[in-house]
Amino acid sequence: MDFAKDLIDHENVATESGITFLNDTSNGSLTDLKSSKEEDMEVHVNNLLIQAANKAASDMFLSTGSKLYSTVKGPTTSSKLEKDSSQINDYNHLVDCKIYPSKLLPPSSTIEATSLVVVFESFDSLDFVYAKSGDIFYNRNGHFHHDDFIGKPYGCKIRSRNNKGLGFVFLLKPTPELWARSLNHRTQIVHELDSATICFNLNLRPNMSVKVELV
């Protein structure tokens, strides 16, 4: 939300799931396992479960439709990967829940320099500014100096330095709703930043389709 600040890593459902690529002790494919009559049945079943779990984990973290993507290499078809087990191993390090944390803003209740602030002007008027020392926010209520913003808590009431201090605004902490309301909407049915939030929360990726049902 606040593009001027660096995001920090936070634990989420994925990182706490413990999902990772498991070592397969079979040293062979499913065909080799089925043809082996000397292997103990319990070990055989465990290896099948490991292979199934690895495939499910790979589909979760790497697959996009019929292709597997790597942050190191380009897209490769899944059929090609199945033929080359050595190439599959190149993707194993990406099947680890710990490398997919959520990127969130550092928690803060005080307005700092470069902080994004939603300015509540009236019931039907919201604007936003990035607090910067020396800058001034102008509106019909008066002149509001950013130096008066910095160091104040979110939610506070700031009075203008002109007009005998009769004008005032409220400084709000940005939320998805306030951020969307403070932007200038034109003819789009869904604003591009609203759609970006929707895609992020739904974990949408290329080649995925979304079915919307109106109730």
Side-chain angles (χ1 to χ4, degrees):
M1 181 62 65
D2 192 344
F3 306 109
K5 288 185 175 294
D6 294 331
L7 301 180
I8 59 177
D9 294 342
H10 279 263
E11 295 290 329
N12 55 33
V13 175
T15 56
E16 295 179 351
S17 65
I19 298 176
T20 186
F21 201 88
L22 303 175
N23 292 326
D24 186 359
T25 60
S26 63
N27 296 323
S29 63
L30 290 175
T31 306
D32 297 333
L33 289 173
K34 292 179 180 179
S35 61
S36 176
K37 298 180 181 180
E38 299 178 356
E39 187 174 11
D40 181 77
M41 181 58 66
E42 183 177 354
V43 176
H44 173 70
V45 172
N46 287 338
N47 288 329
L48 290 177
L49 291 174
I50 290 174
Q51 291 182 5
N54 287 339
K55 184 180 184 305
S58 298
D59 291 342
M60 178 183 298
F61 290 115
L62 304 179
S63 68
T64 303
S66 60
K67 298 180 179 179
L68 295 182
Y69 283 82
S70 169
T71 56
V72 180
K73 299 182 178 180
T76 306
T77 58
S78 57
S79 59
K80 182 178 179 181
L81 286 177
E82 290 175 357
K83 296 178 181 179
D84 188 359
S85 59
S86 61
Q87 190 173 1
I88 294 177
N89 293 331
D90 294 340
Y91 295 83
N92 291 352
H93 68 283
L94 298 176
V95 186
D96 186 355
C97 64
K98 295 300 182 182
I99 65 176
Y100 300 101
S102 295
K103 300 289 185 178
L104 301 177
L105 287 171
S108 175
S109 58
T110 304
I111 300 173
E112 303 172 354
T114 72
S115 291
L116 175 62
V117 181
V118 175
V119 181
F120 182 92
E121 300 172 305
S122 63
F123 177 76
D124 58 350
S125 178
L126 292 177
D127 206 336
F128 69 92
V129 295
Y130 286 97
K132 183 180 179 181
S133 179
D135 283 3
I136 303 176
F137 175 74
Y138 300 93
N139 68 1
R140 61 187 178 183
N141 297 327
H143 304 166
F144 301 90
H145 292 247
H146 289 203
D147 291 330
D148 297 338
F149 297 179
I150 299 174
K152 297 294 193 303
Y154 284 104
C156 68
K157 181 179 181 180
I158 297 293
R159 292 193 174 273
S160 63
R161 290 192 182 184
N162 64 334
N163 297 333
K164 299 181 180 180
L166 296 178
F168 63 88
V169 295
F170 290 95
L171 307 180
L172 305 180
K173 190 171 185 177
T175 64
E177 180 184 4
L178 292 176
W179 173 247
R181 287 184 58 190
S182 66
L183 297 173
N184 291 324
H185 289 66
R186 303 195 179 196
T187 59
Q188 301 97 327
I189 297 176
V190 179
H191 194 275
E192 59 181 2
L193 289 176
D194 296 339
S195 62
T197 302
I198 294 172
C199 292
F200 173 77
N201 289 330
L202 293 179
N203 195 27
L204 298 180
R205 291 170 290 178
N207 298 328
M208 286 186 174
S209 58
V210 179
K211 181 178 179 181
V212 179
E213 295 184 358
L214 300 178
V215 180

